[in-house]
Structure formats: structure tokens, C-alpha cells
Amino acid sequence: MRYVVGYSSKERGADAVALAASLARAQDASLDIVHVVDPHTPYAGLYPEGAAATPAEQAILSAERDSLALVPDGVGAGFRPVPAESFAAGLIEAAGDDAGLIVVGAASNGLFKRFTVGSVANALLHASPVPVALAPRGYNRTEPVTRFTLATGQRAGADAAIGTAIGAANRRGVPLRLVSLVTLDAGPDESGEATNAAHRHANTVLSDAAARLPEGHDVSVAVAHGRNIEEAIDSLEWLEGEVLIIGSSRLGEKNKLFIGSTANKILRALPVPMVVVPRDYERVDSMPI
């Protein structure tokens, strides 16, 4: 298993390496640390005809040294510069057909351990053919994941996320929590029916997950309420080392990500990393995370 890690010398590069290392542990996964460079800038390491070292080459050598120093013992990693017109395009190219995951950090202007969707993440979330993991600003945990939470939904595209969450929790032997989010900004009648529907759907997914996990595996369900999505997210307890998994919007092209308005609101309120899975995503050889 290969995880493509988007690295820049800014803080979010370190966040991405930490999250990738945490997800890679016990999965026999290696980190393919990718540093995207301007294809129009001559660089001896990229272009054999180049001559003496340039400032660009020195910057890449520093990025290689600094990024690999962040990788904890026991996690395999390699570094490579990739020439591309944009950071997102370079990561998608590097992922190719066999990467299980692209991992990036949140935009650097986000609040501590909160997300803002910068241009790189936004581009990835509209074009990546593989799941994308997003690390909150300031994320530095490299220990193994402690729990996966799946944000369940009834729209098309949920099946891929459900399968990914069940497989990820099963392989690591960690608890799986299924969450439905209910906003109470509708009238009392609508809110009551929305809550009932959320409970019914969550318990249906719970039954399916329990049937697909080994007997005795810790799997639970929660329905979170709030006046809006942000409040519902804030009402939940989040463990140290937890990761949220969510499916992409039904509006996305098949096998590509598209993060809708609800997922965007979740992302902005979330205090833990999030993995977004393309709708209809399938891997014949292995699971992504």
C-alpha cells in the first residue's frame, strides 16, 4: 500500500506527514512523500541536462531532509520532487492507479486543529480519483488511529465510504462509530421526523457493519443534534487519534471526489482528521486505508 503525501515546507506539510504515518502504521503501507515543483524551473535532479545546483535544487534538498526527518521509526518512506503546473495536479499524477490515499494538510490560515479548505484541498476534493485525507492545522500525532467514525448519509455514494470504514476498522482492530447528523433548524415536526429517520438509517448501517465485522468487534451508533451542522459536530465526543470518514457528494462524477455543502460545513467544524471517499470507489487489490 502506498500513500501519497503532499509536502511543502509550510506547517501543513508536517501535518500531512504526521497523519499519513498514523494511518500507515500496522498496514504495511509506505509514504510516498511528494514535493511538487514548478515544471518551468530548471532543476538538475529533475532534468539530467541541468548543470550546477540551483536555489530550486537546494530548496528541494532541504524539503527532502526535513520531510523524511518527520517520519517516525517503523514507517517506510521515500521522497521525490514532481514537476507539475499545480500542487493538486502533481499529487493526482503521483497517485496514479495504485495509490491508496492522498494525504494533505489543511490551509495554513486555519485555527489551531481546525480546517480551512485552501486551494490545494479544494482542487483535490473536486478531482481526485482516490480517497483524500485532510489533516487539521497543527496535527502532530503519529501513533496509530484509535477509532474511526463514519458520517452516515442516505444519498448515493455512501456505500463506498461505508465499505472503506468497515475495512479500515477491521484491519486495525479499532472501534467503529457510525454517526448521523441532525440539524434542528426546521420546524418541530420536521425535526422530529428527521431525528427518527436518522436513527433508523444509522441502525440499518450499524446492523450491516456488525454483520461484516468479526464477532465482538466494537461498533456503535450515535445521532448528533444541533441547530446546524457545526453544532451537531461540536456535540460529539472525539477521541485523541480518531479519524472521520465521509463519502463524497452524489453530485460528483463517478470515481471522483466532490465535497458538497454539508461536507464542507462538517469539515470546517471538525477537530480531527477527515478522509473523503469518492462515490463508487472500488479497489480490487486492496482497501485504501
Side-chain angles (χ1 to χ4, degrees):
M1 180 65 68
R2 179 173 65 94
Y3 295 164
V4 170
V5 185
Y7 182 81
S8 70
S9 298
K10 298 179 181 178
E11 180 185 25
R12 60 179 177 265
D15 300 340
V17 173
L19 175 58
S22 177
L23 289 167
R25 287 189 182 275
Q27 295 303 293
D28 196 25
S30 62
L31 310 188
D32 182 9
I33 300 176
V34 171
H35 184 67
V36 178
V37 299
D38 185 345
H40 305 294
T41 301
Y43 167 55
L46 288 173
Y47 307 105
E49 66 272 14
T54 66
E57 182 173 20
Q58 292 298 329
I60 291 171
L61 292 172
S62 295
E64 179 178 16
R65 180 185 64 248
D66 294 345
S67 64
L68 291 177
L70 295 169
V71 180
D73 293 341
V75 177
F79 174 95
R80 58 180 171 132
V82 172
E85 294 293 342
S86 73
F87 198 69
L91 297 181
I92 291 172
E93 177 187 340
D97 296 328
D98 64 333
L101 194 65
I102 295 175
V103 188
V104 294
S108 59
N109 60 341
L111 297 174
F112 180 70
K113 292 195 175 178
R114 293 282 174 156
F115 288 96
T116 58
V117 182
S119 58
V120 172
N122 187 62
L124 284 171
L125 292 172
H126 285 77
S128 176
V130 302
V132 172
L134 302 164
R137 183 187 177 196
Y139 193 81
N140 58 10
R141 178 187 171 88
T142 60
E143 292 79 13
V145 175
T146 57
R147 181 171 70 182
F148 286 102
T149 285
L150 169 67
T152 65
Q154 301 181 55
R155 292 184 173 184
D159 289 347
I162 292 169
T164 297
I166 291 172
N170 184 27
R171 288 190 304 279
R172 291 172 173 80
V174 299
L176 173 63
R177 179 175 62 161
L178 312 171
V179 169
S180 282
L181 304 173
V182 179
T183 59
L184 306 179
D185 48 8
D189 293 339
E190 290 99 334
S191 295
E193 177 52 35
T195 299
N196 290 335
H199 277 283
R200 288 194 300 269
H201 178 68
N203 281 303
T204 298
V205 177
L206 174 66
S207 297
D208 176 64
R212 295 164 62 182
L213 287 166
E215 185 176 354
H217 194 107
D218 186 351
V219 55
S220 60
V221 65
V223 175
H225 303 82
R227 288 177 298 180
N228 49 47
I229 289 293
E230 291 86 351
E231 275 197 8
I233 288 291
D234 282 338
S235 73
L236 290 166
E237 173 201 8
W238 297 98
L239 301 180
E240 185 75 18
E242 186 158 9
V243 173
L244 176 73
I245 297 174
I246 191 169
S248 65
S249 169
R250 63 186 174 90
L251 299 176
E253 294 179 35
K254 183 175 181 179
N255 295 330
K256 289 194 176 180
L257 290 175
F258 182 90
I259 188 165
S261 59
T262 299
N264 250 318
K265 291 174 183 177
I266 292 173
L267 182 62
R268 294 178 192 281
L270 193 67
V272 301
M274 181 164 100
V275 175
V276 185
V277 182
R279 72 186 187 104
D280 303 324
Y281 180 77
E282 293 181 359
R283 283 292 301 273
V284 175
D285 55 339
S286 60
M287 295 297 290
I289 62 174

